[in-house]
Amino acid sequence: MAIAANLRPAPMATQQQVEVLGLVTEMAIIMRNREERDRQLQADLAATKERLEAATADFGRRLSLAEARGAINAAMGAAAPPSPAQPSVPQTATPIAVRASSPAAPAANDGVRRRYRVQAASPGLAMLSEVDRTGETGSQLQVAVGDDVPGYGKITAIAQQGSSWVVRAERGSIQ
C-alpha cells in the first residue's frame, strides 16, 4: 500500500516500474487464488447438491414404503403403525444398512414352502404378503437384507428390476 501511495503520474524510474510490476504480479496471484477458491466452492456445492438429492430420493422411497404399509394395514383392518415424529434425512451419501424394526419371524416349519409377493419396497427394505393357494394375500412380513424368510432363507438383496422390485434370497427370488 505504501508503494502505491508514492506513485505519481509521470515517467517512472526503473525502480518505480519494478514496483508497479510487483503490484500487478500480486494482484494476479490474488485473482488466481480467488478463482481457485470459486472453482472449489462450486465443486463443493455440486457435491452437496448431489448428496442432498440422493438423501431426498432415499427419504421419498422410504416414505412411500411407509405409506404403502399403512394403506395395506388399513385395507386389512389393522391399525397403521405409528409414524416417527421427526423423520431424519441421512447426512451422508454413503449407503446405509437398513434393518427392519422386528425381523421377519419364522413361521412354523411345516415343510410347506410359502409363496410371497412384494407389496412395496425400497432399496434394502420390503413388505411381503404371503400368497395362499387361491392367490389371495395373507399375512405380511416387513423384511430387510439379512432377515430370514420361511422357505427362502436369508435375504441377500432387495433391488428394482425394471419397473418391479425383486427380493433375492438364498433359496430363490420373490417378485
Side-chain angles (χ1 to χ4, degrees):
M1 290 291 205
I3 297 171
N6 292 331
L7 295 176
R8 292 185 172 65
M12 293 188 278
T14 304
Q15 180 59 30
Q16 290 174 328
Q17 290 176 359
V18 169
E19 291 170 356
V20 167
L21 291 174
L23 289 173
V24 169
T25 303
E26 286 180 37
M27 287 177 62
I29 291 170
I30 290 170
M31 292 298 295
R32 183 196 66 208
N33 290 345
R34 195 184 102 222
E35 288 171 357
E36 286 177 14
R37 279 192 302 263
D38 286 349
R39 276 193 291 279
Q40 185 61 44
L41 284 172
Q42 288 174 350
D44 291 347
L45 179 63
T48 300
K49 181 180 175 184
E50 286 179 24
R51 283 194 306 271
L52 179 61
E53 287 173 352
T56 302
D58 184 54
F59 177 74
R61 282 189 298 272
R62 291 170 189 261
L63 181 61
S64 294
L65 179 60
E67 288 172 346
R69 183 175 44 241
I72 291 169
N73 287 339
M76 297 187 74
S83 61
Q86 282 288 338
S88 63
V89 176
Q91 296 297 318
T92 63
T94 59
I96 297 173
V98 177
R99 267 283 182 211
S101 57
S102 60
N109 191 359
D110 53 10
V112 177
R113 181 174 174 148
R114 288 165 173 69
R115 291 182 16 203
Y116 295 95
R117 178 179 305 144
V118 177
Q119 291 293 324
S122 68
L125 186 63
M127 178 68 73
L128 303 178
S129 289
E130 190 173 352
V131 179
D132 65 14
R133 294 175 192 223
T134 64
E136 297 294 318
T137 58
S139 63
Q140 297 178 348
L141 297 174
Q142 178 179 334
V143 297
V145 174
D147 288 347
D148 282 317
V149 175
Y152 289 87
K154 282 195 184 293
I155 302 291
T156 58
I158 299 173
Q160 194 166 11
Q161 187 173 11
S163 62
S164 62
W165 286 88
V166 176
V167 176
R168 291 186 183 86
E170 293 172 326
R171 294 185 296 276
S173 295
I174 304 167
Q175 295 186 0

